[in-house]
Every structure is written in structure tokens, then in C-alpha cells.
Amino acid sequence: MEIAVTGVMNGENGTPWWLEELITREQALQALTINCARQMFIEDERGSIKAGKYADFLLVNKDVLTCPATEIHEAKPAATYFEGKKVFSM
């Protein structure tokens, strides 16, 4: 997500890649969730939080939509839910 937003891979000092192709955090989140489900033709079941869908989601310890863009990579898993059940937590 950070690379899509900043164009720079963490740990590399350099000019961002393809500035004209950078996307917003919201666009990156959609690309990694509902758009992936659409590519697999399972968007009616997964890819977003909605009544009737499987509750598959990851909670992280940082708000990746508001933290500094160069800190998105620091977000660590806090809990993982699969089909509505917690399968991992710190």
C-alpha cells in the first residue's frame, strides 16, 4: 500500500517511481480488497464488509488511512478474522 501511495519502497532512498501513477490510500485499499475479490469473481461473498458476506478482515495496530504515508509499512497485524471468527490476535 505504501509503495502505491508514495512510489518509494521502504528502505530505499531515491526518486519515487512513476509519479503520474500514484494512487490515494482509499484507492489502494480498494485495490487490495474488493478489487481482488472482483478479479476472482467472489465479490458477492468477500472483499468488503456487508451483511451476508463472509467476515474476512485484518485489524492492524495503526490507522493506515491517516498515519504519515511513509509509515504505512509499520502497521502490524493485531487480529485476523476468517468467516467471522477470530483466528489470530496479539
Side-chain angles (χ1 to χ4, degrees):
M1 181 177 189
E2 183 173 326
I3 295 170
V5 172
T6 66
V8 178
M9 189 165 87
N10 178 51
E12 288 190 6
N13 295 324
T15 306
W17 309 323
W18 304 288
L19 291 174
E20 67 278 4
E21 294 187 14
L22 297 181
I23 59 177
T24 67
R25 295 171 200 231
E26 291 78 10
Q27 289 169 323
L29 187 60
Q30 282 187 323
L32 295 167
T33 56
I34 190 65
N35 289 350
C36 286
R38 286 184 181 127
Q39 289 177 327
M40 296 184 289
F41 303 102
I42 58 171
E43 69 271 20
D44 292 335
E45 301 171 1
R46 302 177 191 274
S48 63
I49 304 295
K50 184 176 177 184
K53 288 188 171 188
Y54 291 104
D56 299 344
F57 58 94
L58 169 72
L59 297 177
V60 293
N61 65 350
K62 180 178 280 239
D63 185 348
V64 296
L65 295 177
T66 61
C67 72
T70 56
E71 294 178 9
I72 294 171
H73 72 276
E74 295 175 4
K76 303 293 183 223
T80 304
Y81 288 77
F82 179 71
E83 296 183 355
K85 297 181 178 94
K86 186 185 286 188
V87 295
F88 170 81
S89 68
M90 292 298 285

